[in-house]
Amino acid sequence: MIDKENTLNERDADGMLPFYPTCRFCGSAELPVGDYESQEEANEAATIRCKCYEARRYQEELEKKREREKNIVKLRQKLDDFSTYCEGRGVNLEGDLYDTIFNAGVAVLDGVVLTVSFKFARMKVAISANSKGTLIIAFTYSDGAKVEV
């Protein structure tokens, strides 16, 4: 007869207790395929690999979060580049103005607003997202030349 309690508490070759990955949504269990630090870590790994409906929705949510974080990094890089562009034209894009444009870009990424437009000094900045969710930032510099006839 196998003693289930002792079998579950047997240590592996490295002296570690094995954690059995289980999907947190459907309860589907797997054999341990990696070294997990905790049961929660093992369950997260199983949930990410599971094909049940709730797990797939969870995986999509995680992917959206990763994509959002990547887009926020790209937004900050583009605004830093734009700051350099502005400096070359005598416009200071720092502090509160930078933060306001950045926060507006994040709001567009999150779908809170569809488009944002700013006009300051001789600059115009428009931020929107295309149908694929890619952020579009349009910068326009005006030299102030205007002719009326």
Side-chain angles (χ1 to χ4, degrees), residues 33-60:
V33 292
D35 293 330
Y36 303 109
E37 296 293 321
S38 66
Q39 186 62 49
E40 291 80 23
E41 183 182 336
N43 292 348
E44 178 71 9
T47 303
I48 289 174
R49 289 189 297 265
C50 189
K51 301 296 182 204
C52 73
Y53 177 74
E54 291 86 3
R56 286 191 315 237
R57 285 187 34 205
Y58 176 72
Q59 294 158 13
E60 290 170 2

Tab-separated table of all heavy atoms in Angstrom, residues 33-60:
chain	number	residue	atom	x	y	z
A	33	VAL	N	7.316	19.784	-13.924
A	33	VAL	CA	8.278	19.783	-15.020
A	33	VAL	C	9.405	20.776	-14.765
A	33	VAL	O	10.302	20.906	-15.572
A	33	VAL	CB	7.597	20.122	-16.368
A	33	VAL	CG1	6.661	19.005	-16.775
A	33	VAL	CG2	6.879	21.443	-16.302
A	34	GLY	N	9.345	21.471	-13.678
A	34	GLY	CA	10.380	22.453	-13.368
A	34	GLY	C	10.519	22.606	-11.870
A	34	GLY	O	9.764	22.034	-11.087
A	35	ASP	N	11.514	23.374	-11.487
A	35	ASP	CA	11.726	23.656	-10.071
A	35	ASP	C	10.920	24.897	-9.718
A	35	ASP	O	11.154	25.977	-10.254
A	35	ASP	CB	13.208	23.898	-9.776
A	35	ASP	CG	14.046	22.643	-9.968
A	35	ASP	OD1	13.499	21.545	-9.754
A	35	ASP	OD2	15.228	22.769	-10.332
A	36	TYR	N	9.961	24.724	-8.845
A	36	TYR	CA	9.126	25.826	-8.422
A	36	TYR	C	9.459	26.157	-6.975
A	36	TYR	O	9.692	25.277	-6.164
A	36	TYR	CB	7.642	25.461	-8.555
A	36	TYR	CG	7.243	25.051	-9.955
A	36	TYR	CD1	6.935	23.731	-10.251
A	36	TYR	CD2	7.195	25.979	-10.981
A	36	TYR	CE1	6.570	23.355	-11.535
A	36	TYR	CE2	6.839	25.617	-12.270
A	36	TYR	CZ	6.524	24.305	-12.532
A	36	TYR	OH	6.175	23.935	-13.803
A	37	GLU	N	9.436	27.424	-6.663
A	37	GLU	CA	9.735	27.870	-5.305
A	37	GLU	C	8.535	27.700	-4.372
A	37	GLU	O	8.706	27.612	-3.172
A	37	GLU	CB	10.158	29.346	-5.321
A	37	GLU	CG	11.451	29.604	-6.080
A	37	GLU	CD	12.653	28.991	-5.387
A	37	GLU	OE1	12.705	29.037	-4.133
A	37	GLU	OE2	13.535	28.468	-6.090
A	38	SER	N	7.333	27.704	-4.956
A	38	SER	CA	6.132	27.593	-4.131
A	38	SER	C	5.011	26.947	-4.943
A	38	SER	O	5.096	26.844	-6.168
A	38	SER	CB	5.683	28.979	-3.664
A	38	SER	OG	5.262	29.752	-4.781
A	39	GLN	N	3.950	26.569	-4.254
A	39	GLN	CA	2.791	26.000	-4.933
A	39	GLN	C	2.124	27.058	-5.805
A	39	GLN	O	1.652	26.773	-6.896
A	39	GLN	CB	1.792	25.439	-3.914
A	39	GLN	CG	0.631	24.703	-4.550
A	39	GLN	CD	1.072	23.470	-5.353
A	39	GLN	OE1	1.836	22.645	-4.863
A	39	GLN	NE2	0.605	23.366	-6.586
A	40	GLU	N	2.125	28.315	-5.353
A	40	GLU	CA	1.525	29.395	-6.134
A	40	GLU	C	2.260	29.570	-7.464
A	40	GLU	O	1.638	29.769	-8.510
A	40	GLU	CB	1.545	30.717	-5.350
A	40	GLU	CG	0.627	30.740	-4.148
A	40	GLU	CD	1.217	30.027	-2.929
A	40	GLU	OE1	2.456	29.883	-2.837
A	40	GLU	OE2	0.422	29.586	-2.082
A	41	GLU	N	3.594	29.494	-7.429
A	41	GLU	CA	4.396	29.610	-8.655
A	41	GLU	C	4.097	28.448	-9.600
A	41	GLU	O	3.961	28.634	-10.810
A	41	GLU	CB	5.882	29.649	-8.308
A	41	GLU	CG	6.781	29.848	-9.501
A	41	GLU	CD	8.258	29.827	-9.125
A	41	GLU	OE1	8.595	30.102	-7.961
A	41	GLU	OE2	9.071	29.511	-10.021
A	42	ALA	N	3.956	27.265	-9.062
A	42	ALA	CA	3.637	26.085	-9.871
A	42	ALA	C	2.240	26.234	-10.484
A	42	ALA	O	2.040	25.943	-11.670
A	42	ALA	CB	3.710	24.821	-9.018
A	43	ASN	N	1.284	26.725	-9.708
A	43	ASN	CA	-0.075	26.909	-10.212
A	43	ASN	C	-0.120	27.983	-11.300
A	43	ASN	O	-0.855	27.851	-12.278
A	43	ASN	CB	-1.032	27.268	-9.083
A	43	ASN	CG	-1.245	26.112	-8.127
A	43	ASN	OD1	-0.870	24.981	-8.404
A	43	ASN	ND2	-1.830	26.404	-6.988
A	44	GLU	N	0.667	29.038	-11.150
A	44	GLU	CA	0.729	30.087	-12.182
A	44	GLU	C	1.261	29.491	-13.487
A	44	GLU	O	0.728	29.765	-14.565
A	44	GLU	CB	1.626	31.235	-11.715
A	44	GLU	CG	1.788	32.342	-12.718
A	44	GLU	CD	0.537	33.191	-12.915
A	44	GLU	OE1	-0.443	33.051	-12.162
A	44	GLU	OE2	0.545	34.013	-13.842
A	45	ALA	N	2.300	28.671	-13.401
A	45	ALA	CA	2.871	28.045	-14.597
A	45	ALA	C	1.836	27.143	-15.275
A	45	ALA	O	1.708	27.151	-16.503
A	45	ALA	CB	4.119	27.237	-14.227
A	46	ALA	N	1.087	26.380	-14.499
A	46	ALA	CA	0.067	25.500	-15.071
A	46	ALA	C	-1.062	26.316	-15.695
A	46	ALA	O	-1.560	25.977	-16.773
A	46	ALA	CB	-0.492	24.577	-13.995
A	47	THR	N	-1.440	27.402	-15.069
A	47	THR	CA	-2.515	28.250	-15.579
A	47	THR	C	-2.114	28.879	-16.905
A	47	THR	O	-2.923	28.986	-17.821
A	47	THR	CB	-2.885	29.329	-14.541
A	47	THR	OG1	-3.248	28.684	-13.319
A	47	THR	CG2	-4.030	30.193	-15.020
A	48	ILE	N	-0.859	29.264	-17.023
A	48	ILE	CA	-0.373	29.874	-18.266
A	48	ILE	C	-0.325	28.848	-19.401
A	48	ILE	O	-0.487	29.197	-20.561
A	48	ILE	CB	0.997	30.542	-18.033
A	48	ILE	CG1	0.794	31.791	-17.173
A	48	ILE	CG2	1.684	30.888	-19.335
A	48	ILE	CD1	2.049	32.469	-16.743
A	49	ARG	N	-0.166	27.569	-19.075
A	49	ARG	CA	-0.120	26.526	-20.100
A	49	ARG	C	-1.471	25.881	-20.380
A	49	ARG	O	-1.647	25.205	-21.384
A	49	ARG	CB	0.876	25.435	-19.692
A	49	ARG	CG	2.316	25.856	-19.759
A	49	ARG	CD	3.254	24.682	-19.567
A	49	ARG	NE	3.132	24.069	-18.258
A	49	ARG	CZ	3.890	24.356	-17.207
A	49	ARG	NH1	4.833	25.267	-17.307
A	49	ARG	NH2	3.722	23.727	-16.058
A	50	CYS	N	-2.441	26.090	-19.513
A	50	CYS	CA	-3.738	25.422	-19.633
A	50	CYS	C	-4.528	25.976	-20.824
A	50	CYS	O	-4.370	27.117	-21.225
A	50	CYS	CB	-4.544	25.606	-18.346
A	50	CYS	SG	-6.042	24.600	-18.317
A	51	LYS	N	-5.401	25.151	-21.373
A	51	LYS	CA	-6.206	25.523	-22.538
A	51	LYS	C	-7.677	25.767	-22.198
A	51	LYS	O	-8.492	25.962	-23.100
A	51	LYS	CB	-6.116	24.431	-23.617
A	51	LYS	CG	-4.710	24.157	-24.099
A	51	LYS	CD	-4.125	25.359	-24.784
A	51	LYS	CE	-2.724	25.037	-25.293
A	51	LYS	NZ	-1.908	26.195	-25.439
A	52	CYS	N	-8.033	25.761	-20.917
A	52	CYS	CA	-9.428	26.005	-20.568
A	52	CYS	C	-9.795	27.458	-20.868
A	52	CYS	O	-8.926	28.315	-21.000
A	52	CYS	CB	-9.713	25.652	-19.102
A	52	CYS	SG	-9.047	26.805	-17.881
A	53	TYR	N	-11.072	27.725	-20.991
A	53	TYR	CA	-11.558	29.042	-21.402
A	53	TYR	C	-11.077	30.150	-20.455
A	53	TYR	O	-10.564	31.186	-20.899
A	53	TYR	CB	-13.087	29.034	-21.472
A	53	TYR	CG	-13.675	30.377	-21.818
A	53	TYR	CD1	-13.604	30.873	-23.112
A	53	TYR	CD2	-14.292	31.160	-20.839
A	53	TYR	CE1	-14.131	32.110	-23.436
A	53	TYR	CE2	-14.824	32.393	-21.161
A	53	TYR	CZ	-14.742	32.866	-22.456
A	53	TYR	OH	-15.252	34.092	-22.764
A	54	GLU	N	-11.240	29.962	-19.153
A	54	GLU	CA	-10.845	30.982	-18.188
A	54	GLU	C	-9.335	31.216	-18.214
A	54	GLU	O	-8.881	32.355	-18.105
A	54	GLU	CB	-11.301	30.612	-16.776
A	54	GLU	CG	-12.799	30.651	-16.580
A	54	GLU	CD	-13.469	29.342	-16.984
A	54	GLU	OE1	-12.769	28.379	-17.358
A	54	GLU	OE2	-14.713	29.297	-16.945
A	55	ALA	N	-8.566	30.158	-18.367
A	55	ALA	CA	-7.103	30.304	-18.421
A	55	ALA	C	-6.685	31.059	-19.677
A	55	ALA	O	-5.781	31.899	-19.626
A	55	ALA	CB	-6.428	28.936	-18.368
A	56	ARG	N	-7.349	30.792	-20.801
A	56	ARG	CA	-7.022	31.527	-22.039
A	56	ARG	C	-7.340	33.005	-21.881
A	56	ARG	O	-6.581	33.865	-22.335
A	56	ARG	CB	-7.757	30.932	-23.231
A	56	ARG	CG	-7.169	29.610	-23.696
A	56	ARG	CD	-7.762	29.204	-25.026
A	56	ARG	NE	-9.208	29.395	-25.029
A	56	ARG	CZ	-10.101	28.463	-25.272
A	56	ARG	NH1	-9.711	27.251	-25.573
A	56	ARG	NH2	-11.387	28.716	-25.243
A	57	ARG	N	-8.454	33.322	-21.246
A	57	ARG	CA	-8.791	34.737	-20.988
A	57	ARG	C	-7.737	35.380	-20.094
A	57	ARG	O	-7.323	36.513	-20.323
A	57	ARG	CB	-10.168	34.851	-20.340
A	57	ARG	CG	-11.281	34.626	-21.339
A	57	ARG	CD	-12.657	34.882	-20.802
A	57	ARG	NE	-12.728	35.959	-19.839
A	57	ARG	CZ	-13.676	36.056	-18.914
A	57	ARG	NH1	-14.620	35.155	-18.834
A	57	ARG	NH2	-13.686	37.064	-18.066
A	58	TYR	N	-7.291	34.655	-19.073
A	58	TYR	CA	-6.242	35.136	-18.172
A	58	TYR	C	-4.941	35.358	-18.943
A	58	TYR	O	-4.269	36.379	-18.763
A	58	TYR	CB	-6.053	34.125	-17.035
A	58	TYR	CG	-4.929	34.454	-16.096
A	58	TYR	CD1	-5.033	35.513	-15.201
A	58	TYR	CD2	-3.758	33.706	-16.094
A	58	TYR	CE1	-3.993	35.806	-14.330
A	58	TYR	CE2	-2.727	33.988	-15.225
A	58	TYR	CZ	-2.851	35.045	-14.344
A	58	TYR	OH	-1.817	35.344	-13.485
A	59	GLN	N	-4.592	34.426	-19.829
A	59	GLN	CA	-3.376	34.559	-20.637
A	59	GLN	C	-3.455	35.788	-21.537
A	59	GLN	O	-2.473	36.525	-21.694
A	59	GLN	CB	-3.169	33.295	-21.476
A	59	GLN	CG	-2.881	32.058	-20.661
A	59	GLN	CD	-3.189	30.762	-21.405
A	59	GLN	OE1	-3.397	30.754	-22.610
A	59	GLN	NE2	-3.228	29.669	-20.662
A	60	GLU	N	-4.626	36.033	-22.135
A	60	GLU	CA	-4.812	37.213	-22.983
A	60	GLU	C	-4.672	38.494	-22.171
A	60	GLU	O	-4.077	39.472	-22.629
A	60	GLU	CB	-6.187	37.173	-23.662
A	60	GLU	CG	-6.301	36.106	-24.725
A	60	GLU	CD	-7.729	35.907	-25.215
A	60	GLU	OE1	-8.655	36.636	-24.754
A	60	GLU	OE2	-7.924	35.021	-26.068
